[in-house]
Amino acid sequence: MTEQKPVSDTAATKVTLPDAQTVTSVTHWTDTLFSFRVSRPQSLRFRSGEFVMIGLMGDNGKPLLRAYSIASPAWDEELEFYSIKVPDGPLTSKLQHIQPGQQIILRPKPVGTLVHDALLPGKRVWFLATGTGIAPFASLMREPETYEKYDEVIMMHTCRTVAELEYGRQLVASLQDDPLIGELVGDKLKYYPTTTREDFAHMGRITDNLTSGKVFADLGIAPMDAGTDRAMVCGSLAFNKDVMAVLEGFGLREGANSDPKEYVVEKAFVGEGV
Ligand code: FAD
Ligand code: A2P
């Protein structure tokens, strides 16, 4: 067995070799949102939509880790993450200052329910997200299996403001010309971004736009049908709970890796007092 030597770096000191990954790029989207890419451990295999634990070395010399959806697809050479900046957040108050060349800790044990295996076969899949909940779908929208399994892919993303939608907007726009999956995506992907607290082309909560039928009318598509529609949900606990009720109203049932059904849910974060 080879000895594990400590690596020193500027962001975090003494990271043990196998779990240290190097930051390759960082993009700040708003005062509260940024994305970054890191090197990928050669041994890491994951299914698009899964999450891992990442972090930095804390001041006490212990790793400070949090759950993060991998925003890049399973075939990508690097790993991408899309992150909130919580002003006093133990991790993100530091992580938001990370620079290319610095290192983060990444525990290579991917898990999660937002995976194709957890859904029964269908014709249309709905990706329903608020805020940073778009991260697992940033992975799944770039995953060939998504377009092999479904005739239509509908990405609904809702944020308070227009600026908070920008990461998703640019990602969707880039897919059409993507040399690897552009052709597969074709016109299968329908993007339906909305805001709730700033004027925008389409507005309103995902729950309201589904129950009123506005999204079906705007996209010119048939309403949800449990026989053919599948859904993946990622947002706050309150959002997840309310969307689940809407989906159940359409006759969809919650599935899991071990018991695939019509929809699956994952928390985008664990809120205070919820
Ligand atoms: P924490 O002490 O962890 O959080 C402080 C408070 O900030 C929380 O109580 C909550 O009210 C708020 N908060 C935390 N994260 C968010 C968020 N993402 N959006 C809105 N409010 C938030 N975060 C991401 O930014 N990107 C991801 O891809 C992501 N994936 C996750 C996947 C899972 C399965 C879970 C459980 C969480 C995920 N999170 C993600 C949240 C993440 O684990 C941390 O909570 C976040 O990075 C903040 O860490 P912190 O130590 O700075 O603050
Ligand atoms: P709203 O502005 O009407 O609260 P947040 O930043 O609070 O996590 O919210 C992110 C987005 O999710 C906002 O657009 C917010 O709409 C929406 N949202 C929050 N809670 C729910 C919910 N329970 N059901 C549907 N949408 C929600």
Side-chain angles (χ1 to χ4, degrees), residues 1-268:
M1 212 174 126
T2 48
E3 194 192 342
Q4 295 182 356
K5 292 195 194 105
V7 183
S8 65
D9 70 348
T10 44
T13 51
K14 296 193 175 164
V15 175
T16 309
L17 259 179
D19 288 346
Q21 297 303 323
T22 304
V23 176
T24 57
S25 64
V26 183
T27 307
H28 291 272
W29 299 92
T30 69
D31 288 352
T32 58
L33 294 166
F34 71 113
S35 61
F36 57 97
R37 293 176 69 86
V38 304
S39 55
R40 177 172 176 167
Q42 278 199 339
S43 60
L44 177 65
R45 296 277 174 276
F46 69 97
R47 293 178 293 175
S48 293
E50 287 186 316
F51 68 89
V52 286
M53 301 300 291
I54 66 169
L56 297 170
M57 204 54 101
D59 295 335
N60 60 1
K62 289 187 185 155
L64 176 56
L65 300 173
R66 292 285 186 268
Y68 268 82
S69 295
I70 303 175
S72 47
W75 53 262
D76 201 326
E77 282 174 13
E78 294 183 338
L79 299 175
E80 184 173 310
F81 297 98
Y82 180 53
S83 180
I84 189 90
K85 304 175 193 176
V86 181
D88 299 318
L91 178 64
T92 57
S93 59
K94 293 197 175 103
L95 191 65
Q96 63 179 285
H97 302 296
I98 197 95
Q99 301 282 341
Q102 295 181 337
Q103 291 184 323
I104 65 155
I105 304 166
L106 188 149
R107 296 271 190 257
K109 294 197 178 67
V111 286
T113 53
L114 302 180
V115 291
H116 284 305
D117 298 345
L119 292 177
L120 293 170
K123 285 198 175 3
R124 272 197 315 205
V125 67
W126 295 75
F127 294 154
L128 308 176
T130 57
T132 60
I134 196 172
F137 306 126
S139 173
L140 284 158
M141 280 193 285
R142 292 184 269 191
E143 168 58 56
E145 193 182 350
T146 300
Y147 305 95
E148 286 157 8
K149 286 210 152 141
Y150 296 97
D151 299 338
E152 266 182 310
V153 179
I154 303 162
M155 176 76 243
M156 291 182 81
H157 185 210
T158 298
C159 295
R160 295 180 180 200
T161 65
V162 178
E164 292 170 306
L165 293 168
E166 189 59 14
Y167 170 78
R169 190 195 70 76
Q170 286 195 22
L171 190 140
V172 170
S174 73
L175 289 178
Q176 297 299 325
D177 303 323
D178 189 295
L180 282 169
I181 64 155
E183 219 167 292
L184 259 180
V185 177
D187 56 6
K188 284 187 171 183
L189 178 62
K190 293 189 168 58
Y191 176 49
Y192 194 84
T194 63
T195 56
T196 50
R197 304 198 191 186
E198 188 183 359
D199 280 349
F200 188 56
H202 294 290
M203 296 186 66
R205 289 181 160 200
I206 286 172
T207 41
D208 294 339
N209 286 325
L210 284 170
T211 43
S212 68
K214 186 173 188 307
V215 60
F216 311 128
D218 285 347
L219 294 176
I221 58 173
M224 262 198 205
D225 173 346
T228 48
D229 281 292
R230 304 292 172 257
M232 296 195 188
V233 182
C234 191
S236 65
L237 275 182
F239 169 76
N240 287 0
K241 188 169 150 277
D242 290 350
V243 174
M244 286 167 73
V246 172
L247 295 176
E248 301 269 345
F250 283 109
L252 282 72
R253 299 161 304 162
E254 185 178 7
N257 273 286
S258 55
D259 184 20
K261 288 206 174 88
E262 289 89 18
Y263 76 87
V264 278
V265 183
E266 198 144 80
K267 288 188 283 286

